[in-house]
Amino acid sequence: MTNPGRLERQRLPAAPRLGAWQLAWLAAAVFVVSAGYGALMPLLPAWLAPLMTDDGQAEVARHVGLLSGLYAAGVLVGAPLWGLVSDRWGRGRILMIGLVGYVASLLPLLRADWVGIAGIYALRGATGFFVAAVVPVVPALVAEHTPQSQRARRFAWLGAMSLLGFLFGPGLNAAAAQMAGALAGVGDGTLDPTDLVIVMSAALGALMMLGLAATLPRVPPAALEDDSQPASADRRRAMALWGLNGVVMFVLSGFELGIVLQGQQHPTLSSREISLMFAECSLVMLGVNALLFFTGLLERAAGRGVMAAGLVLAIAGLAMLAQHRSDAWMYIGVSFTAAGTGLVLPTISYLAAGASRRRLGATMGGLAAAAGVGQTLGSAATGWLFGAVAQLSFAWLALPLLATLGSLIVRPAWWAIEGQPSRSPRASSEPLPK
């Protein structure tokens, strides 16, 4: 006998596909919150210094560290919560709430002297909490409104926009300084570049609200529910991906901190060269995202194989960094590690997009939370490791990746996308849609 509930689920309307402009606005929202983080972090000392009294410099440094941790804690708490709520209330609504909260948490910083230390702490925590409504919901929206044949390229595009935002953020400070000088030249007074950065960040967030409000697909959450995948299998796969994401972010944050700490081990390594290595890391990861976008690699190769290749590259890079005796080898090690992690992270997001649509927000929120935990623990562990074994810390960082590589080999079912329609031979012979 036919199961009526199953037939009813089969009749549920498919989610409408995203158009080019809708995708552009979603990618721009990711870009804006990433740029806002990179632009506002250097401003923390400027907000805090006038509020400090005795031993100002040491106190400012302590508060900057605590504020950075509070922002990360906001993301860590908010991401799984907003992702879960978006599965029930609708993703567009949660995304708009996140952007409204993001803008509202920035504007009071124009008068940091009024809100005081406690207010700055509350606002930075709130900013992280509301940014967490953007981080998991945008990829969930893209996943549920994108056919599988286009999903890999779109996720590579989102990853590239996030990296570009981090790179653009410090440039926003330079643009604000130039703008303040230009405005001072034609006016009577002077404008604080710090205020301009806040205003520009908030204005970009408001622009994203308007663009998304006009373009987001309006689909009731009930129309997107399906039970095509067993809940237990979907949950196991999600937990495996969360663990992998946390491990890779643990290693990536430790690797980046290790680059900074190399200056203490190698006196010839200047701050300029360390900055170049960070730029190299970002550009290599951006190049890998471009490779995934233009080649459609994830649509042609098994995700498990792509991740295994990325892990091997990252392990090789960390091994070079642990043994290098010249700056040239260090640059090569940085490139290998960045390329390897740059392959793995978008693949994780792509595989997570294969979750059941009614659990997609929770899955993406779990990824963001796992990344936050990994980053926090990675920075703390690497700081301790460098104090104990110095340069060999890079070799210790490779061990979690080796263990993960082993899980890819012995547990292939964890990394497969199940419940997705298979492509027909005719469809597979057609060119991939852009």
Side-chain angles (χ1 to χ4, degrees), residues 181-367:
L183 292 174
V186 297
D188 297 327
T190 59
L191 288 174
D192 188 348
T194 299
D195 291 344
L196 281 176
V197 173
I198 296 171
V199 169
M200 287 191 290
S201 298
L204 287 172
L207 179 62
M208 294 306 104
M209 282 190 288
L210 295 175
L212 289 169
T215 61
L216 277 180
R218 290 170 174 80
V219 180
L224 295 176
E225 293 186 359
D226 68 73
D227 283 322
S228 59
Q229 301 184 53
S232 58
D234 204 36
R235 195 174 296 111
R236 282 196 302 270
R237 189 161 48 254
M239 292 179 68
L241 290 170
W242 296 345
L244 177 55
N245 207 45
V247 166
V248 175
M249 291 306 299
F250 174 94
V251 173
L252 183 60
S253 63
F255 152 71
E256 290 176 342
L257 180 61
I259 294 175
V260 175
L261 296 176
Q262 281 288 281
Q264 299 176 358
Q265 308 295 325
H266 299 271
T268 59
L269 198 64
S270 66
S271 58
R272 177 179 175 274
E273 289 174 312
I274 292 174
S275 299
L276 286 175
M277 288 178 187
F278 271 102
E280 175 194 9
C281 180
S282 298
L283 290 173
V284 169
M285 294 182 76
L286 187 60
V288 170
N289 275 269
L291 174 71
L292 294 175
F293 178 81
F294 287 112
T295 64
L297 177 63
L298 293 179
E299 296 153 3
R300 296 178 169 86
R304 185 167 67 107
V306 175
M307 290 193 296
L311 290 172
V312 170
L313 274 175
I315 291 168
L318 291 170
M320 292 179 192
L321 289 168
Q323 299 296 327
H324 79 88
R325 293 294 180 268
S326 68
D327 292 351
W329 278 107
M330 190 171 182
Y331 279 104
I332 296 173
V334 168
S335 294
F336 273 54
T337 308
T341 53
L343 269 176
V344 175
L345 291 173
T347 309
I348 294 172
S349 297
Y350 171 68
L351 294 178
S356 167
R357 283 183 290 179
R358 69 175 185 173
R359 292 182 286 270
L360 194 50
T363 300
M364 292 299 179
L367 280 186

